[in-house]
Amino acid sequence: GEDVEQSLFLSVREGDSSVINCTYTDSSSTYLYWYKQEPGAGLQLLTYIFSNMDMKQDQRLTVLLNKKDKHLSLRIADTQTGDSAIYFCAESKPGGYNKLIFGAGTRLAVHP
Amino acid sequence: SQTIHQWPATLVQPVGSPLSLECTVEGTSNPNLYWYRQAAGRGLQLLFYSVGIGQISSEVPQNLSASRPQDRQFILSSKKLLLSDSGFYLCAWSPSGIAGGYTFGSGTRLTVV
């Protein structure tokens, strides 16, 4: 199948780290992405990782990829209230028209 | 730089009325274009994609149609809206011929009453 699965909700305290997890199904995916959606807005590309990488760090964001388990995670260090949003994981499908398969999104709530 | 414009931002339409949502991309040529729908609290559903002028592929059968009359213009339409057409509609583009992420527009909130 083409399912990308994510937990639906995560609540963290301000200043703590957040870890959002995702599992995907296609081992031939070339890129994996994390998007952020704030209320009433479109999706914003946060970061991506190429399938031959294990880790990518970009300021407060760390992406970990376990290809064996088809598991992707996004860690947000020092989570702030402005990080409250829905986070979507997506995998790219090789060939064709550059098809992305999105997960259902994880709603991150940051509380004081 | 490339930009994507989507309008209107919000729309309230009665059941049975027609619909036209427009999306345009600037700063690139021959982009792949996409229409998604996001129901309240739900994930993204790909409705249509286009790899060129006049080339439209539908991912799910429904009450909607799409057209691409110009290279960087993508239109989502309906002849008669249903209550179930309510949702948040997102247009996106990606470069053609290469793998890469999508760039999304700001979305249209459609409420059918």
Side-chain angles (χ1 to χ4, degrees):
Chain A
E2 294 190 331
D3 289 342
V4 175
E5 296 188 353
Q6 304 177 236
S7 53
L8 295 181
F9 189 76
L10 177 65
S11 178
V12 299
R13 185 173 298 176
E14 191 174 9
D16 287 352
S17 292
S18 306
V19 179
I20 303 171
N21 294 301
C22 168
T23 57
Y24 61 98
T25 56
D26 193 335
S27 58
S28 63
S29 293
T30 50
Y31 289 92
L32 295 126
Y33 303 88
W34 284 104
Y35 283 85
K36 177 183 181 183
Q37 184 183 33
E38 297 184 355
L43 275 69
Q44 171 195 1
L45 179 63
L46 273 183
T47 187
Y48 65 93
I49 188 167
F50 190 53
S51 58
N52 68 352
M53 298 170 63
D54 297 325
M55 185 183 83
K56 180 178 180 181
Q57 188 153 1
D58 183 1
Q59 298 182 342
R60 291 191 297 121
L61 305 179
T62 303
V63 179
L64 294 178
L65 176 60
N66 181 330
K67 283 196 73 175
K68 174 177 172 290
D69 295 337
K70 300 188 188 69
H71 182 265
L72 181 74
S73 67
L74 173 69
R75 179 177 180 269
I76 305 172
D78 187 25
T79 311
Q80 302 297 307
T81 54
D83 295 322
S84 294
I86 301 175
Y87 291 81
F88 291 91
C89 165
E91 64 169 340
S92 65
K93 308 290 282 187
Y97 67 90
N98 184 32
K99 183 176 185 178
L100 290 193
I101 306 298
F102 287 87
T106 299
R107 183 178 296 275
L108 174 64
V110 183
H111 57 86
Chain B
S1 63
Q2 302 92 358
T3 55
I4 180 168
H5 303 281
Q6 190 180 341
W7 69 93
T10 60
L11 194 57
V12 180
Q13 292 282 97
V15 168
S17 63
L19 173 73
S20 180
L21 303 181
E22 190 162 343
C23 173
T24 58
V25 180
E26 296 177 358
T28 187
S29 296
N30 195 31
N32 290 344
L33 296 170
Y34 312 87
W35 277 112
Y36 280 86
R37 177 168 60 200
Q38 185 179 26
R42 306 272 305 270
L44 299 169
Q45 179 186 35
L46 177 62
L47 301 176
F48 301 95
Y49 69 90
S50 171
V51 298
I53 295 175
Q55 300 179 60
I56 308 295
S57 296
S58 174
E59 285 288 299
V60 292
Q62 60 215 320
N63 184 41
L64 302 168
S65 62
S67 61
R68 185 171 177 173
Q70 299 181 48
D71 181 42
R72 289 168 289 179
Q73 184 185 29
F74 205 23
I75 297 172
L76 182 70
S77 303
S78 173
K79 292 182 180 178
K80 286 186 178 182
L81 284 168
L82 305 172
L83 286 174
S84 58
D85 292 323
S86 293
F88 192 52
Y89 289 82
L90 289 158
C91 180
W93 78 273
S94 69
S96 65
I98 57 174
Y102 296 176
T103 300
F104 283 84
S106 54
T108 296
R109 172 75 57 195
L110 171 67
T111 304
V112 182
V113 295

